[in-house]
Amino acid sequence: MDIKKSAPISVISIQGQNCTGCVTSTLCSEYPSIENLLLRDIIPGHKLEFAFHPNIMTASGKLAMEILENAAKKKGYVLIIDGAIPTASNGVYCITGEKDGRKYTILEETLKLSLDAMIVIALGTCASFGGIAAGNPNPTGAQSVGDVFSTNDIKTPLINIPGCPPHPDWLFGTIEEILTGGLENVQLDDFKRPKTYFGKLIHENCPNRAYFDEGKFAKKLGDEGCLYELGCKGPITYADCPKRLWNGRTNWVIGCGAPCNSCTSPEYPDFLGDFYERIIDLEVPANKRKAKIQENKFLGR
Ligand code: FSX
């Protein structure tokens, strides 16, 4: 079969404040494989060209910065930003690179590179919503890419792919949707998350849902029952983990017997209570107990 080839889409990937979990997770992609992702087509007829990627490129120092400068000359690239953007003290807390004695911050690279991008993808919860990097007391003034865009009136289309870390399918599936159907093909929710992956609550597809409806709750890890009493945030978390599964479709957090900590939510982690603390003010069918999201105990919200 003849496959019509498109010109490769240039991808620039830059990294803010993070643990590198987002890149580590997404580069473990199975479909497409890492080989197809980097060397061949992401889907038949469509190829990505990773022009700059701090984790997989071999260049460093001045050479790397020159590669970044040259990559940016070719406008219309996909810009992937993972990690939050520190904004305090002119962003000095996160340096992308150095050239001729001059340090370049992730803040200024974000502001500069976003302008000529076709699309900016905020990869991971830190980039999408601030996440752990912006956790209280946030001494570096870490912000999400979206907040940096708002403050600086940047209008480039933005898609958030949260998750701490995100699933590889959420990133590359979204890029595939763009390549095959254009930007307008990607339906986003109010938090700019693709509905394909973040359109349903964990709770809607949870294999423990019947236990929840019956009011059968695990009292300690390893017990049979819904993990709600052990802090599971599935009832308020939008992601398709129960159906998609992780690590080559082998399992996922609740399948391992651990509660979901809502890492794809804008409120993660400060505004959701402790990982093993039950959410309150949630309507629990079996006993009609009122519950609500734990109020933030640090900031008085
Ligand atoms: Fe944050 Fe990502 Fe969690 Fe880590 O880039 S979303 S801490 S998995 O690495 O930024």
Side-chain angles (χ1 to χ4, degrees):
M1 185 177 72
D2 276 350
I3 292 167
K4 193 165 173 278
K5 293 268 177 190
S6 307
I9 299 289
S10 181
V11 179
I12 297 177
S13 184
I14 55 174
Q15 196 163 54
Q17 288 174 301
N18 67 352
C19 73
T20 316
C22 301
V23 168
T24 307
S25 171
T26 50
L27 287 184
C28 287
S29 174
E30 284 213 317
Y31 306 102
S33 66
I34 185 75
E35 182 187 355
N36 285 348
L37 202 52
L38 299 181
L39 303 175
R40 305 181 194 283
D41 288 358
I42 180 170
I43 45 175
H46 294 277
K47 182 169 174 33
L48 301 182
E49 185 177 74
F50 283 89
F52 183 89
H53 196 305
N55 303 107
I56 55 175
M57 65 195 293
T58 52
S60 62
K62 183 178 176 182
L63 177 59
M65 295 309 287
E66 285 172 354
I67 290 171
L68 181 56
E69 282 170 14
N70 288 331
K73 286 178 188 159
K74 197 170 152 188
K75 299 178 181 180
Y77 43 82
V78 174
L79 177 64
I80 300 176
I81 304 173
D82 66 284
I85 315 293
T87 59
S89 309
N90 292 322
V92 71
Y93 299 107
C94 189
I95 304 297
T96 304
E98 185 176 333
K99 187 183 163 197
D100 301 328
R102 155 103 155 80
K103 292 181 171 63
Y104 292 80
T105 67
I106 186 71
L107 176 60
E108 66 182 311
E109 295 290 12
T110 297
L111 296 177
K112 187 171 64 188
L113 294 169
S114 295
L115 295 179
D116 291 328
M118 175 217 347
I119 177 80
V120 176
I121 295 178
L123 179 63
T125 300
C126 297
S128 298
F129 306 126
I132 287 177
N136 184 65
N138 194 3
T140 66
Q143 290 186 3
S144 67
V145 174
D147 283 346
V148 169
F149 274 24
S150 301
T151 308
N152 295 279
D153 202 26
I154 293 175
K155 307 281 191 219
T156 308
L158 172 68
I159 294 178
N160 289 325
I161 309 279
C164 187
H167 194 293
D169 294 0
W170 300 343
L171 172 63
F172 297 117
T174 301
I175 292 177
E176 287 165 5
E177 276 191 61
I178 296 170
L179 292 177
T180 51
L183 279 178
E184 60 283 358
N185 194 35
V186 184
Q187 301 292 312
L188 302 178
D189 71 6
D190 291 346
F191 298 104
K192 295 187 185 295
R193 299 176 295 197
K195 287 184 181 174
T196 303
Y197 307 103
F198 303 97
K200 292 200 165 160
L201 287 168
I202 295 274
H203 202 48
E204 289 177 68
N205 290 308
C206 182
N208 286 342
R209 176 61 188 266
Y211 290 133
F212 179 88
D213 291 344
E214 285 294 312
K216 183 172 183 178
F217 297 107
K219 299 295 177 213
K220 62 178 189 322
L221 293 175
D223 282 357
E224 192 180 345
C226 168
L227 300 170
Y228 160 74
E229 299 273 4
L230 300 177
C232 185
K233 312 292 189 294
I236 56 166
T237 302
Y238 287 87
D240 66 0
C241 304
K243 299 192 101 173
R244 187 163 300 282
L245 306 181
W246 286 69
N247 297 330
R249 320 271 184 263
T250 53
N251 209 343
W252 69 300
V253 61
I254 289 175
C256 301
C260 161
N261 60 24
S262 201
C263 76
T264 59
S265 296
E267 298 88 356
Y268 176 85
D270 278 359
F271 300 96
L272 291 165
D274 294 344
F275 285 174
Y276 294 98
E277 190 172 7
R278 177 172 62 80
I279 44 179
I280 51 175
D281 265 11
L282 182 80
E283 189 77 22
V284 178
N287 55 15
K288 305 294 180 217
R289 181 173 41 211
K290 283 276 188 186
K292 90 173 179 194
I293 299 173
Q294 170 74 24
E295 292 187 356
N296 182 276
K297 53 176 91 158
F298 306 109
L299 303 182
R301 283 179 61 174

